[in-house]
Amino acid sequence: MSVITTYVRLRTDELAELRGLLVESPEQAYEYADDLRMDSRGMDTDKAWDGLRHLLSKLAPPVDVIGGGEPLTPEPWAHDAPRLLTADQVAAAASFFAATPFTSLARHYDPAELTLASIYPEAIWDEDWALEYLEDSYRNLVALFQSAAAENEPIILWKN
């Protein structure tokens, strides 16, 4: 089983709809959020999330974009309760991203350290393509946060 982190930008009405669905039908809430993601309102980091978390932690960002945010439900949803990063948190993250090219993260990339720290997925960090894999996810994450910040939108995230 693999674990990915999914992100979705939300307009005010979409957030209200999602909150209602989380109470009434969590499965429909998941489908609703996933439909928004598929409509270019979101993305997922595939399995790169933990590697990105590890590298970002070396730079002390103002917002935890991998595991932060306010849980929207008291109960787990899939692997993880969906969490909300407010529009202000999204803007702070977007500012950090604007000042932080991937090369800043790549300086901290050490396959042996990632493997020793059991960073998910453990078996890839020695592969030639692993750093590029992280960079691709980082670029997509930066673009999503910058787009959401430009529209003053919050973002929800969850692992599934």
CSV table of all heavy atoms in Angstrom, one decimal, residues 8-73:
chain,number,residue,atom,x,y,z
A,8,VAL,N,-5.9,20.4,-2.2
A,8,VAL,CA,-6.9,21.0,-3.0
A,8,VAL,C,-7.1,22.4,-2.5
A,8,VAL,O,-7.3,22.7,-1.4
A,8,VAL,CB,-8.3,20.2,-2.9
A,8,VAL,CG1,-9.4,20.9,-3.6
A,8,VAL,CG2,-8.1,18.8,-3.3
A,9,ARG,N,-7.1,23.3,-3.5
A,9,ARG,CA,-7.5,24.7,-3.3
A,9,ARG,C,-9.0,24.8,-3.1
A,9,ARG,O,-9.7,24.1,-3.9
A,9,ARG,CB,-7.1,25.6,-4.5
A,9,ARG,CG,-5.7,25.7,-4.8
A,9,ARG,CD,-5.4,26.4,-6.1
A,9,ARG,NE,-6.2,27.6,-6.3
A,9,ARG,CZ,-6.2,28.3,-7.4
A,9,ARG,NH1,-5.4,27.9,-8.5
A,9,ARG,NH2,-6.9,29.4,-7.5
A,10,LEU,N,-9.5,25.7,-2.2
A,10,LEU,CA,-10.9,25.8,-2.0
A,10,LEU,C,-11.4,27.2,-2.1
A,10,LEU,O,-10.8,28.1,-1.4
A,10,LEU,CB,-11.3,25.2,-0.7
A,10,LEU,CG,-11.0,23.7,-0.5
A,10,LEU,CD1,-11.2,23.3,0.9
A,10,LEU,CD2,-12.0,22.9,-1.4
A,11,ARG,N,-12.5,27.4,-2.8
A,11,ARG,CA,-13.2,28.7,-2.7
A,11,ARG,C,-14.1,28.6,-1.5
A,11,ARG,O,-14.3,27.5,-0.9
A,11,ARG,CB,-14.0,28.9,-4.0
A,11,ARG,CG,-13.2,29.0,-5.2
A,11,ARG,CD,-14.1,29.1,-6.5
A,11,ARG,NE,-13.2,29.2,-7.7
A,11,ARG,CZ,-13.2,28.2,-8.6
A,11,ARG,NH1,-13.9,27.1,-8.4
A,11,ARG,NH2,-12.4,28.2,-9.6
A,12,THR,N,-14.6,29.7,-1.1
A,12,THR,CA,-15.5,29.8,0.1
A,12,THR,C,-16.6,28.8,0.1
A,12,THR,O,-16.9,28.0,1.0
A,12,THR,CB,-16.0,31.2,0.4
A,12,THR,OG1,-14.8,32.1,0.4
A,12,THR,CG2,-16.8,31.3,1.7
A,13,ASP,N,-17.3,28.8,-1.0
A,13,ASP,CA,-18.5,27.8,-1.2
A,13,ASP,C,-18.0,26.4,-1.2
A,13,ASP,O,-18.7,25.5,-0.6
A,13,ASP,CB,-19.3,28.2,-2.4
A,13,ASP,CG,-18.6,28.1,-3.7
A,13,ASP,OD1,-17.4,28.4,-3.7
A,13,ASP,OD2,-19.2,27.6,-4.7
A,14,GLU,N,-16.9,26.1,-1.7
A,14,GLU,CA,-16.4,24.7,-1.8
A,14,GLU,C,-16.0,24.2,-0.4
A,14,GLU,O,-16.2,23.1,0.0
A,14,GLU,CB,-15.2,24.6,-2.7
A,14,GLU,CG,-15.5,24.8,-4.2
A,14,GLU,CD,-14.4,25.1,-5.1
A,14,GLU,OE1,-13.3,25.4,-4.6
A,14,GLU,OE2,-14.5,24.9,-6.3
A,15,LEU,N,-15.4,25.1,0.4
A,15,LEU,CA,-15.0,24.8,1.8
A,15,LEU,C,-16.3,24.5,2.6
A,15,LEU,O,-16.3,23.5,3.3
A,15,LEU,CB,-14.2,25.9,2.4
A,15,LEU,CG,-13.8,25.6,3.9
A,15,LEU,CD1,-13.0,24.3,4.0
A,15,LEU,CD2,-12.9,26.8,4.4
A,16,ALA,N,-17.3,25.3,2.4
A,16,ALA,CA,-18.6,25.1,3.1
A,16,ALA,C,-19.2,23.8,2.7
A,16,ALA,O,-19.7,23.0,3.6
A,16,ALA,CB,-19.5,26.3,2.9
A,17,GLU,N,-19.2,23.5,1.4
A,17,GLU,CA,-19.7,22.2,1.0
A,17,GLU,C,-19.0,21.0,1.5
A,17,GLU,O,-19.5,20.1,2.0
A,17,GLU,CB,-19.7,22.2,-0.6
A,17,GLU,CG,-20.1,20.9,-1.2
A,17,GLU,CD,-21.6,20.7,-1.1
A,17,GLU,OE1,-22.4,21.6,-0.9
A,17,GLU,OE2,-22.0,19.5,-1.4
A,18,LEU,N,-17.6,21.1,1.5
A,18,LEU,CA,-16.8,20.1,2.1
A,18,LEU,C,-17.1,19.9,3.5
A,18,LEU,O,-17.2,18.7,4.0
A,18,LEU,CB,-15.3,20.4,1.8
A,18,LEU,CG,-14.4,19.3,2.3
A,18,LEU,CD1,-14.6,18.0,1.6
A,18,LEU,CD2,-12.9,19.8,2.2
A,19,ARG,N,-17.1,20.9,4.3
A,19,ARG,CA,-17.4,20.8,5.7
A,19,ARG,C,-18.7,20.1,6.0
A,19,ARG,O,-18.8,19.2,6.9
A,19,ARG,CB,-17.4,22.2,6.4
A,19,ARG,CG,-16.0,22.8,6.6
A,19,ARG,CD,-16.1,24.1,7.4
A,19,ARG,NE,-14.9,24.8,7.5
A,19,ARG,CZ,-14.0,24.7,8.4
A,19,ARG,NH1,-14.2,23.8,9.4
A,19,ARG,NH2,-12.9,25.4,8.5
A,20,GLY,N,-19.8,20.4,5.2
A,20,GLY,CA,-21.0,19.8,5.4
A,20,GLY,C,-21.0,18.3,5.0
A,20,GLY,O,-21.5,17.5,5.7
A,21,LEU,N,-20.3,18.0,4.0
A,21,LEU,CA,-20.1,16.6,3.6
A,21,LEU,C,-19.3,15.8,4.6
A,21,LEU,O,-19.6,14.6,4.8
A,21,LEU,CB,-19.5,16.5,2.2
A,21,LEU,CG,-20.4,16.9,1.0
A,21,LEU,CD1,-19.5,17.0,-0.3
A,21,LEU,CD2,-21.5,15.9,0.8
A,22,LEU,N,-18.4,16.4,5.2
A,22,LEU,CA,-17.6,15.7,6.2
A,22,LEU,C,-18.5,15.2,7.4
A,22,LEU,O,-18.2,14.2,8.0
A,22,LEU,CB,-16.4,16.6,6.7
A,22,LEU,CG,-15.3,16.7,5.8
A,22,LEU,CD1,-14.3,17.8,6.2
A,22,LEU,CD2,-14.5,15.3,5.6
A,23,VAL,N,-19.5,16.0,7.7
A,23,VAL,CA,-20.4,15.7,8.8
A,23,VAL,C,-21.4,14.6,8.3
A,23,VAL,O,-21.7,13.6,9.0
A,23,VAL,CB,-21.2,16.9,9.3
A,23,VAL,CG1,-22.3,16.6,10.2
A,23,VAL,CG2,-20.2,17.9,9.9
A,24,GLU,N,-22.0,14.8,7.1
A,24,GLU,CA,-23.0,14.0,6.6
A,24,GLU,C,-22.5,12.7,6.0
A,24,GLU,O,-23.1,11.6,6.2
A,24,GLU,CB,-23.8,14.7,5.5
A,24,GLU,CG,-24.5,16.0,6.0
A,24,GLU,CD,-25.0,16.8,4.9
A,24,GLU,OE1,-25.1,16.4,3.7
A,24,GLU,OE2,-25.3,18.0,5.2
A,25,SER,N,-21.5,12.8,5.2
A,25,SER,CA,-21.0,11.6,4.4
A,25,SER,C,-19.5,11.7,4.1
A,25,SER,O,-19.2,12.3,3.0
A,25,SER,CB,-21.8,11.4,3.2
A,25,SER,OG,-21.3,10.4,2.4
A,26,PRO,N,-18.7,11.3,5.0
A,26,PRO,CA,-17.2,11.4,4.8
A,26,PRO,C,-16.8,10.8,3.4
A,26,PRO,O,-15.9,11.4,2.8
A,26,PRO,CB,-16.6,10.7,5.9
A,26,PRO,CG,-17.6,10.8,7.0
A,26,PRO,CD,-18.9,10.7,6.3
A,27,GLU,N,-17.4,9.8,3.0
A,27,GLU,CA,-17.0,9.2,1.7
A,27,GLU,C,-17.3,10.1,0.5
A,27,GLU,O,-16.5,10.3,-0.4
A,27,GLU,CB,-17.6,7.8,1.5
A,27,GLU,CG,-17.2,7.1,0.2
A,27,GLU,CD,-15.7,6.8,0.2
A,27,GLU,OE1,-15.1,6.5,1.3
A,27,GLU,OE2,-15.1,6.9,-0.9
A,28,GLN,N,-18.5,10.8,0.6
A,28,GLN,CA,-18.8,11.7,-0.4
A,28,GLN,C,-17.9,13.0,-0.3
A,28,GLN,O,-17.6,13.6,-1.4
A,28,GLN,CB,-20.3,12.2,-0.3
A,28,GLN,CG,-21.2,11.2,-0.8
A,28,GLN,CD,-22.7,11.7,-0.8
A,28,GLN,OE1,-23.0,12.5,0.1
A,28,GLN,NE2,-23.5,11.2,-1.7
A,29,ALA,N,-17.5,13.3,0.9
A,29,ALA,CA,-16.5,14.4,1.0
A,29,ALA,C,-15.2,14.1,0.3
A,29,ALA,O,-14.7,15.0,-0.4
A,29,ALA,CB,-16.3,14.7,2.5
A,30,TYR,N,-14.8,12.9,0.5
A,30,TYR,CA,-13.5,12.5,-0.2
A,30,TYR,C,-13.7,12.6,-1.7
A,30,TYR,O,-12.8,13.1,-2.4
A,30,TYR,CB,-13.1,11.1,0.2
A,30,TYR,CG,-12.0,10.5,-0.5
A,30,TYR,CD1,-10.7,10.9,-0.1
A,30,TYR,CD2,-12.1,9.7,-1.6
A,30,TYR,CE1,-9.6,10.4,-0.8
A,30,TYR,CE2,-11.0,9.2,-2.3
A,30,TYR,CZ,-9.8,9.6,-1.9
A,30,TYR,OH,-8.7,9.1,-2.6
A,31,GLU,N,-14.8,12.1,-2.2
A,31,GLU,CA,-15.1,12.1,-3.7
A,31,GLU,C,-15.2,13.6,-4.2
A,31,GLU,O,-14.7,13.9,-5.2
A,31,GLU,CB,-16.3,11.3,-4.0
A,31,GLU,CG,-16.2,9.8,-3.8
A,31,GLU,CD,-17.5,9.1,-3.9
A,31,GLU,OE1,-18.5,9.7,-4.4
A,31,GLU,OE2,-17.5,7.9,-3.5
A,32,TYR,N,-15.8,14.4,-3.4
A,32,TYR,CA,-16.0,15.8,-3.7
A,32,TYR,C,-14.6,16.5,-3.8
A,32,TYR,O,-14.3,17.2,-4.8
A,32,TYR,CB,-16.9,16.5,-2.7
A,32,TYR,CG,-17.0,18.0,-2.9
A,32,TYR,CD1,-17.8,18.5,-4.0
A,32,TYR,CD2,-16.4,18.9,-2.1
A,32,TYR,CE1,-18.0,19.8,-4.2
A,32,TYR,CE2,-16.6,20.3,-2.3
A,32,TYR,CZ,-17.4,20.7,-3.4
A,32,TYR,OH,-17.5,22.1,-3.6
A,33,ALA,N,-13.8,16.3,-2.8
A,33,ALA,CA,-12.5,16.9,-2.8
A,33,ALA,C,-11.6,16.3,-4.0
A,33,ALA,O,-10.9,17.1,-4.6
A,33,ALA,CB,-11.8,16.7,-1.5
A,34,ASP,N,-11.7,15.1,-4.2
A,34,ASP,CA,-10.9,14.5,-5.3
A,34,ASP,C,-11.4,15.0,-6.7
A,34,ASP,O,-10.6,15.2,-7.5
A,34,ASP,CB,-11.0,12.9,-5.2
A,34,ASP,CG,-9.9,12.3,-5.9
A,34,ASP,OD1,-8.7,12.7,-5.7
A,34,ASP,OD2,-10.1,11.3,-6.7
A,35,ASP,N,-12.7,15.2,-6.8
A,35,ASP,CA,-13.2,15.8,-8.1
A,35,ASP,C,-12.6,17.2,-8.3
A,35,ASP,O,-12.2,17.5,-9.4
A,35,ASP,CB,-14.7,15.9,-8.1
A,35,ASP,CG,-15.4,14.5,-8.3
A,35,ASP,OD1,-14.7,13.5,-8.6
A,35,ASP,OD2,-16.6,14.4,-8.0
A,36,LEU,N,-12.5,18.0,-7.2
A,36,LEU,CA,-11.9,19.3,-7.3
A,36,LEU,C,-10.4,19.2,-7.7
A,36,LEU,O,-10.0,20.0,-8.5
A,36,LEU,CB,-12.0,20.1,-6.0
A,36,LEU,CG,-13.4,20.5,-5.5
A,36,LEU,CD1,-13.4,21.1,-4.1
A,36,LEU,CD2,-14.0,21.5,-6.5
A,37,ARG,N,-9.8,18.2,-7.1
A,37,ARG,CA,-8.3,18.0,-7.4
A,37,ARG,C,-8.2,17.7,-8.9
A,37,ARG,O,-7.3,18.2,-9.6
A,37,ARG,CB,-7.7,16.9,-6.6
A,37,ARG,CG,-6.3,16.6,-6.9
A,37,ARG,CD,-5.7,15.4,-6.2
A,37,ARG,NE,-6.4,14.2,-6.6
A,37,ARG,CZ,-6.0,13.4,-7.6
A,37,ARG,NH1,-5.0,13.8,-8.4
A,37,ARG,NH2,-6.7,12.3,-7.9
A,38,MET,N,-9.1,16.9,-9.4
A,38,MET,CA,-9.0,16.5,-10.8
A,38,MET,C,-9.4,17.6,-11.8
A,38,MET,O,-9.0,17.6,-12.9
A,38,MET,CB,-9.9,15.3,-11.1
A,38,MET,CG,-9.5,14.0,-10.3
A,38,MET,SD,-7.9,13.4,-10.7
A,38,MET,CE,-8.2,12.7,-12.3
A,39,ASP,N,-10.1,18.6,-11.3
A,39,ASP,CA,-10.5,19.8,-12.1
A,39,ASP,C,-9.5,20.9,-12.0
A,39,ASP,O,-9.8,22.1,-12.0
A,39,ASP,CB,-11.9,20.3,-11.6
A,39,ASP,CG,-13.0,19.4,-12.0
A,39,ASP,OD1,-12.8,18.6,-12.9
A,39,ASP,OD2,-14.1,19.5,-11.4
A,40,SER,N,-8.2,20.5,-11.8
A,40,SER,CA,-7.1,21.5,-11.8
A,40,SER,C,-7.2,22.4,-10.6
A,40,SER,O,-6.6,23.5,-10.6
A,40,SER,CB,-7.0,22.3,-13.1
A,40,SER,OG,-6.9,21.4,-14.2
A,41,ARG,N,-7.8,22.0,-9.5
A,41,ARG,CA,-7.9,22.8,-8.3
A,41,ARG,C,-6.9,22.2,-7.2
A,41,ARG,O,-6.9,22.6,-6.1
A,41,ARG,CB,-9.3,22.8,-7.7
A,41,ARG,CG,-10.3,23.3,-8.6
A,41,ARG,CD,-10.6,24.8,-8.6
A,41,ARG,NE,-10.8,25.3,-7.3
A,41,ARG,CZ,-10.3,26.5,-6.9
A,41,ARG,NH1,-9.6,27.2,-7.8
A,41,ARG,NH2,-10.5,26.9,-5.7
A,42,GLY,N,-6.2,21.1,-7.6
A,42,GLY,CA,-5.3,20.5,-6.7
A,42,GLY,C,-4.3,19.6,-7.3
A,42,GLY,O,-4.1,19.6,-8.5
A,43,MET,N,-3.6,18.8,-6.5
A,43,MET,CA,-2.6,18.0,-6.9
A,43,MET,C,-2.3,17.0,-5.8
A,43,MET,O,-2.8,17.0,-4.7
A,43,MET,CB,-1.3,18.8,-7.2
A,43,MET,CG,-0.8,19.5,-5.9
A,43,MET,SD,0.9,20.0,-5.9
A,43,MET,CE,1.7,18.5,-5.7
A,44,ASP,N,-1.4,16.0,-6.2
A,44,ASP,CA,-0.9,15.2,-5.1
A,44,ASP,C,0.6,15.1,-5.3
A,44,ASP,O,1.1,15.4,-6.4
A,44,ASP,CB,-1.5,13.8,-5.1
A,44,ASP,CG,-1.2,13.0,-6.3
A,44,ASP,OD1,0.0,12.6,-6.5
A,44,ASP,OD2,-2.1,12.6,-7.0
A,45,THR,N,1.3,14.8,-4.2
A,45,THR,CA,2.8,14.7,-4.3
A,45,THR,C,3.2,13.3,-4.5
A,45,THR,O,4.4,13.0,-4.4
A,45,THR,CB,3.4,15.2,-3.0
A,45,THR,OG1,2.9,14.4,-1.9
A,45,THR,CG2,3.2,16.7,-2.8
A,46,ASP,N,2.3,12.4,-4.8
A,46,ASP,CA,2.6,11.0,-5.0
A,46,ASP,C,3.3,10.6,-3.7
A,46,ASP,O,2.9,11.0,-2.6
A,46,ASP,CB,3.4,10.7,-6.2
A,46,ASP,CG,3.5,9.2,-6.6
A,46,ASP,OD1,2.4,8.6,-6.7
A,46,ASP,OD2,4.6,8.7,-6.7
A,47,LYS,N,4.4,9.8,-3.7
A,47,LYS,CA,5.1,9.4,-2.5
A,47,LYS,C,6.2,10.3,-2.1
A,47,LYS,O,6.9,10.0,-1.2
A,47,LYS,CB,5.6,8.0,-2.8
A,47,LYS,CG,4.5,6.9,-3.0
A,47,LYS,CD,5.2,5.6,-3.4
A,47,LYS,CE,4.2,4.7,-4.0
A,47,LYS,NZ,4.8,3.5,-4.6
A,48,ALA,N,6.3,11.4,-2.8
A,48,ALA,CA,7.4,12.4,-2.5
A,48,ALA,C,7.2,13.1,-1.2
A,48,ALA,O,8.2,13.8,-0.7
A,48,ALA,CB,7.6,13.3,-3.7
A,49,TRP,N,6.1,13.1,-0.6
A,49,TRP,CA,5.7,13.9,0.5
A,49,TRP,C,6.7,13.8,1.7
A,49,TRP,O,7.1,14.8,2.3
A,49,TRP,CB,4.3,13.7,1.0
A,49,TRP,CG,4.1,12.3,1.5
A,49,TRP,CD1,3.7,11.2,0.8
A,49,TRP,CD2,4.3,11.8,2.8
A,49,TRP,NE1,3.6,10.1,1.5
A,49,TRP,CE2,4.0,10.4,2.8
A,49,TRP,CE3,4.6,12.4,4.0
A,49,TRP,CZ2,4.0,9.6,3.9
A,49,TRP,CZ3,4.7,11.6,5.2
A,49,TRP,CH2,4.4,10.2,5.1
A,50,ASP,N,7.2,12.7,2.0
A,50,ASP,CA,8.0,12.5,3.2
A,50,ASP,C,9.4,13.0,2.9
A,50,ASP,O,10.1,13.6,3.8
A,50,ASP,CB,8.1,11.1,3.7
A,50,ASP,CG,8.4,10.9,5.2
A,50,ASP,OD1,8.3,11.9,5.9
A,50,ASP,OD2,8.8,9.8,5.6
A,51,GLY,N,9.9,12.8,1.7
A,51,GLY,CA,11.2,13.3,1.3
A,51,GLY,C,11.2,14.9,1.3
A,51,GLY,O,12.1,15.5,1.8
A,52,LEU,N,10.1,15.4,0.8
A,52,LEU,CA,9.9,16.9,0.8
A,52,LEU,C,9.8,17.4,2.3
A,52,LEU,O,10.4,18.4,2.6
A,52,LEU,CB,8.7,17.3,0.0
A,52,LEU,CG,8.8,17.2,-1.5
A,52,LEU,CD1,7.4,17.5,-2.1
A,52,LEU,CD2,9.9,18.0,-2.1
A,53,ARG,N,9.1,16.7,3.1
A,53,ARG,CA,9.0,17.1,4.5
A,53,ARG,C,10.4,17.1,5.1
A,53,ARG,O,10.7,18.1,5.8
A,53,ARG,CB,8.1,16.1,5.3
A,53,ARG,CG,7.9,16.4,6.7
A,53,ARG,CD,7.4,15.3,7.6
A,53,ARG,NE,8.3,14.1,7.4
A,53,ARG,CZ,9.5,13.9,8.0
A,53,ARG,NH1,10.0,14.8,8.8
A,53,ARG,NH2,10.1,12.8,7.8
A,54,HIS,N,11.2,16.1,4.9
A,54,HIS,CA,12.5,16.0,5.5
A,54,HIS,C,13.4,17.2,5.0
A,54,HIS,O,14.0,17.8,5.8
A,54,HIS,CB,13.1,14.7,5.1
A,54,HIS,CG,14.5,14.5,5.6
A,54,HIS,ND1,14.7,14.1,6.9
A,54,HIS,CD2,15.7,14.6,5.1
A,54,HIS,CE1,16.0,14.0,7.2
A,54,HIS,NE2,16.6,14.3,6.0
A,55,LEU,N,13.4,17.4,3.7
A,55,LEU,CA,14.2,18.5,3.1
A,55,LEU,C,13.7,19.9,3.6
A,55,LEU,O,14.5,20.8,3.9
A,55,LEU,CB,14.3,18.4,1.6
A,55,LEU,CG,15.0,17.2,1.1
A,55,LEU,CD1,14.9,17.2,-0.5
A,55,LEU,CD2,16.4,17.1,1.5
A,56,LEU,N,12.4,20.1,3.6
A,56,LEU,CA,11.9,21.4,4.0
A,56,LEU,C,12.2,21.6,5.5
A,56,LEU,O,12.4,22.8,5.9
A,56,LEU,CB,10.4,21.4,3.8
A,56,LEU,CG,9.9,21.6,2.4
A,56,LEU,CD1,8.4,21.3,2.2
A,56,LEU,CD2,10.2,23.1,1.9
A,57,SER,N,12.2,20.6,6.3
A,57,SER,CA,12.5,20.8,7.8
A,57,SER,C,13.9,21.3,8.0
A,57,SER,O,14.1,22.0,9.0
A,57,SER,CB,12.3,19.5,8.5
A,57,SER,OG,13.4,18.6,8.2
A,58,LYS,N,14.8,21.1,7.1
A,58,LYS,CA,16.1,21.7,7.2
A,58,LYS,C,16.1,23.2,7.0
A,58,LYS,O,17.1,23.9,7.4
A,58,LYS,CB,17.0,21.0,6.1
A,58,LYS,CG,17.1,19.5,6.1
A,58,LYS,CD,18.0,19.0,7.2
A,58,LYS,CE,18.1,17.5,7.0
A,58,LYS,NZ,19.0,16.9,8.0
A,59,LEU,N,15.1,23.8,6.4
A,59,LEU,CA,15.0,25.2,6.1
A,59,LEU,C,14.1,26.0,7.0
A,59,LEU,O,13.9,27.2,6.8
A,59,LEU,CB,14.6,25.4,4.6
A,59,LEU,CG,15.5,24.7,3.6
A,59,LEU,CD1,14.9,24.8,2.2
A,59,LEU,CD2,16.9,25.2,3.7
A,60,ALA,N,13.4,25.3,7.9
A,60,ALA,CA,12.5,25.9,8.9
A,60,ALA,C,11.4,26.8,8.2
A,60,ALA,O,11.4,28.0,8.5
A,60,ALA,CB,13.3,26.7,9.9
A,61,PRO,N,10.6,26.3,7.4
A,61,PRO,CA,9.6,27.1,6.7
A,61,PRO,C,8.6,27.6,7.8
A,61,PRO,O,8.4,27.0,8.8
A,61,PRO,CB,8.9,26.1,5.7
A,61,PRO,CG,9.2,24.8,6.3
A,61,PRO,CD,10.5,24.9,7.0
A,62,PRO,N,7.9,28.7,7.4
A,62,PRO,CA,6.9,29.3,8.4
A,62,PRO,C,5.6,28.4,8.6
A,62,PRO,O,4.9,28.6,9.5
A,62,PRO,CB,6.6,30.6,7.8
A,62,PRO,CG,6.8,30.5,6.3
A,62,PRO,CD,7.9,29.5,6.2
A,63,VAL,N,5.4,27.5,7.6
A,63,VAL,CA,4.1,26.7,7.6
A,63,VAL,C,4.5,25.3,7.2
A,63,VAL,O,5.3,25.1,6.3
A,63,VAL,CB,3.1,27.3,6.6
A,63,VAL,CG1,1.9,26.4,6.5
A,63,VAL,CG2,2.8,28.7,6.9
A,64,ASP,N,4.0,24.3,8.0
A,64,ASP,CA,4.2,22.9,7.6
A,64,ASP,C,3.2,22.6,6.5
A,64,ASP,O,2.0,22.3,6.8
A,64,ASP,CB,4.0,22.1,8.9
A,64,ASP,CG,4.2,20.6,8.6
A,64,ASP,OD1,4.4,20.2,7.5
A,64,ASP,OD2,4.0,19.8,9.6
A,65,VAL,N,3.7,22.6,5.3
A,65,VAL,CA,2.8,22.3,4.2
A,65,VAL,C,2.6,20.8,3.9
A,65,VAL,O,1.8,20.4,3.1
A,65,VAL,CB,3.3,23.0,2.9
A,65,VAL,CG1,3.3,24.5,3.1
A,65,VAL,CG2,4.6,22.4,2.4
A,66,ILE,N,3.3,20.0,4.6
A,66,ILE,CA,3.2,18.5,4.5
A,66,ILE,C,2.3,17.9,5.5
A,66,ILE,O,1.5,17.0,5.2
A,66,ILE,CB,4.6,17.8,4.5
A,66,ILE,CG1,5.5,18.5,3.5
A,66,ILE,CG2,4.5,16.3,4.3
A,66,ILE,CD1,5.1,18.4,2.0
A,67,GLY,N,2.4,18.3,6.7
A,67,GLY,CA,1.6,17.7,7.8
A,67,GLY,C,0.8,18.7,8.7
A,67,GLY,O,0.3,18.3,9.7
A,68,GLY,N,0.9,19.9,8.3
A,68,GLY,CA,0.2,21.0,9.2
A,68,GLY,C,-1.2,21.2,8.8
A,68,GLY,O,-1.8,20.4,8.1
A,69,GLY,N,-1.7,22.2,9.4
A,69,GLY,CA,-3.1,22.6,9.2
A,69,GLY,C,-4.0,22.1,10.3
A,69,GLY,O,-3.6,21.2,11.1
A,70,GLU,N,-5.2,22.7,10.4
A,70,GLU,CA,-6.2,22.3,11.4
A,70,GLU,C,-7.0,21.1,10.9
A,70,GLU,O,-7.6,21.2,9.8
A,70,GLU,CB,-7.1,23.5,11.6
A,70,GLU,CG,-8.3,23.2,12.5
A,70,GLU,CD,-9.4,24.3,12.4
A,70,GLU,OE1,-9.1,25.4,11.9
A,70,GLU,OE2,-10.5,24.0,12.9
A,71,PRO,N,-7.1,20.1,11.7
A,71,PRO,CA,-7.9,18.9,11.3
A,71,PRO,C,-9.4,19.4,11.1
A,71,PRO,O,-9.9,20.1,12.0
A,71,PRO,CB,-7.8,17.9,12.4
A,71,PRO,CG,-6.5,18.3,13.1
A,71,PRO,CD,-6.4,19.8,13.0
A,72,LEU,N,-10.0,18.9,10.1
A,72,LEU,CA,-11.4,19.3,9.8
A,72,LEU,C,-12.4,18.3,10.4
A,72,LEU,O,-13.6,18.5,10.4
A,72,LEU,CB,-11.6,19.4,8.3
A,72,LEU,CG,-11.0,20.6,7.6
A,72,LEU,CD1,-11.2,20.6,6.1
A,72,LEU,CD2,-11.4,21.9,8.2
A,73,THR,N,-11.9,17.1,10.9
A,73,THR,CA,-12.7,16.1,11.5
A,73,THR,C,-12.0,15.6,12.7
A,73,THR,O,-10.8,15.5,12.8
A,73,THR,CB,-13.0,14.9,10.5
A,73,THR,OG1,-11.8,14.3,10.2
A,73,THR,CG2,-13.6,15.4,9.2
